[in-house]
Amino acid sequence: MNIAGRKCGWSVVATTMACLALTLSLSAQVETQTRTATGKANVVTKVERGEVVTVSGNDLVVKMADGTLRNFENVPASAKVTVDGKQLGVRDLKPGMKLQRTITTTTTPMTITTVETVKGKVWAITPPLSIILTLEDGKNQQFKIPEDQKFEVDGQMVDAFAIRKGMNITATKITEQPAVEVTQSKTVTGQAAPTPPPADVPILVAEGSEEAVPAPAAEPTPAPAPEAASGLPTWLIWVVVLLVLAVIVWWFMNRKKS
């Protein structure tokens, strides 16, 4: 068998552990270690505003800031809205309340590295297809050897064609799997609807500076009609005057005759 020709199709893994993919008929003797590396998280914040239109049981209709109506059906009782420092449930909401929902989404890239290691003594090998190892518990297990397989023998990395029966070998499989962790938090705050004034109380809105309102001019009081000094009727006064004049005339006439 031309070992040199076989090696031409294999790629050597970098200075770290070689990559070994083993398909196990049994996995009891395989040691597995997993580690996770995280990258820089991306945080996106979204704010939605609206006004409560109707509340029916656990169903809520909200008029959004853009004028559209959104129906939130079967809102869970655990969902709370902070209004004036109080925690309110969906059934506590009233039409006219202003709501603001802040959604914070955090996306974190991750790399999950899994290291699987198996140790044993070569019982039989059919390069480059399969190998049978006698494991630490004395049992034999057969492994399928994938392409680009490398084994560690006495501190050196060799391929399947360099393996011989009776060698103690260590095989390691390293896999890296990208993943994304997404977490989302929601907070809802609200503002109570303004209380309308009573129907019989007018609303006055002052504009500009305050100015003194002039008092209305007093109407002239009509002069009282003149009253007789004695309080007697006018016709009686005139009778008295005529009698006095008659007496005076009579007195002058009698004086001339004498």
Side-chain angles (χ1 to χ4, degrees), residues 10-11 13 17-27 30-32 114-118 128-131 133 142-152 157-160 169-176:
W10 300 80
S11 60
V13 180
M17 286 186 172
C19 177
L20 169 67
L22 298 175
T23 302
L24 304 179
S25 58
L26 296 174
S27 59
V30 178
E31 298 180 1
T32 303
T114 302
V115 180
E116 295 176 298
T117 304
V118 62
L129 302 178
S130 63
I131 186 172
L133 297 179
Q142 183 177 2
F143 301 88
K144 180 180 178 181
I145 304 175
E147 189 177 358
D148 296 333
Q149 166 65 47
K150 295 293 179 181
F151 298 92
E152 181 181 354
M157 304 304 299
V158 297
D159 60 17
I169 65 172
T170 301
T172 302
K173 175 185 176 182
I174 302 176
T175 58
E176 292 185 350

Side-chain angles (χ1 to χ4, degrees), residues 202-220:
I203 300 176
L204 299 180
V205 180
E207 296 183 357
S209 59
E210 297 182 356
E211 296 181 358
V213 180
E219 298 181 359

